[in-house]
Amino acid sequence: MLIYRIEHTDGAGGLAYEHDAHRKAGCRSAYYHPSPYSGEELGTELSDLFMKGKTDDYHFGCRSKSQLRSWFRSKRGRRAMAKAGGVVVTYEAPREAVALGKTQVAFDINRAAKVSSVPADQW
């Protein structure tokens, strides 16, 4: 299964703050989406994984580039993430290493292989 994620070139997350600091007024925050514990995600594999607390090796991602873009809508924000060292990475992971949610997924980074990487503003 392919998974798309924005991260630093060293693999760390946290660039949503950079995105939000540079988005235009009225552009939705990257933190606007529901968490694994919220009503919309309840009952999904993602929610179940987080309720069990077995998330140490799991990273968040999306099932498609369009799903990822729904989190990071601001072109200005994506440019800021790229300037800060952000890249969009495509991973491939076996289905059993992925917990599906409605708005995002979590995947076991130890069972995923990096397929490609491009600057956060070039996808």
Side-chain angles (χ1 to χ4, degrees):
M1 171 176 218
L2 292 177
I3 299 149
Y4 305 90
R5 169 181 162 80
I6 295 179
E7 61 188 23
H8 285 280
T9 53
D10 65 3
L15 284 162
Y17 295 111
E18 192 71 33
H19 172 272
D20 283 358
H22 292 88
R23 64 189 163 101
K24 291 181 181 179
C27 185
R28 185 171 65 191
S29 166
Y31 288 98
Y32 180 74
H33 293 279
S35 79
Y37 305 102
S38 72
E40 188 174 332
E41 292 290 0
L42 289 179
T44 65
E45 295 172 15
L46 178 68
S47 175
D48 293 347
L49 176 75
F50 277 79
M51 294 295 190
K52 292 176 185 170
K54 299 184 177 194
T55 59
D56 290 345
D57 295 325
Y58 281 80
H59 289 238
F60 288 109
C62 293
R63 286 180 283 197
S64 68
K65 289 179 182 177
S66 61
Q67 189 181 50
L68 185 64
R69 193 174 293 270
S70 77
W71 284 78
F72 300 99
R73 291 179 180 262
S74 169
K75 188 177 241 183
R76 184 187 300 174
R78 290 191 304 271
R79 280 195 300 266
M81 289 190 298
K83 188 175 180 180
V87 290
V88 173
V89 180
T90 303
Y91 286 96
E92 187 165 13
R95 173 61 182 92
E96 62 273 8
V98 180
L100 298 176
K102 292 179 182 175
T103 61
Q104 62 184 326
V105 301
F107 65 102
D108 185 341
I109 193 70
N110 298 316
R111 298 181 62 198
K114 191 180 285 190
V115 175
S116 67
S117 175
V118 298
D121 62 343
Q122 295 182 18
W123 54 285

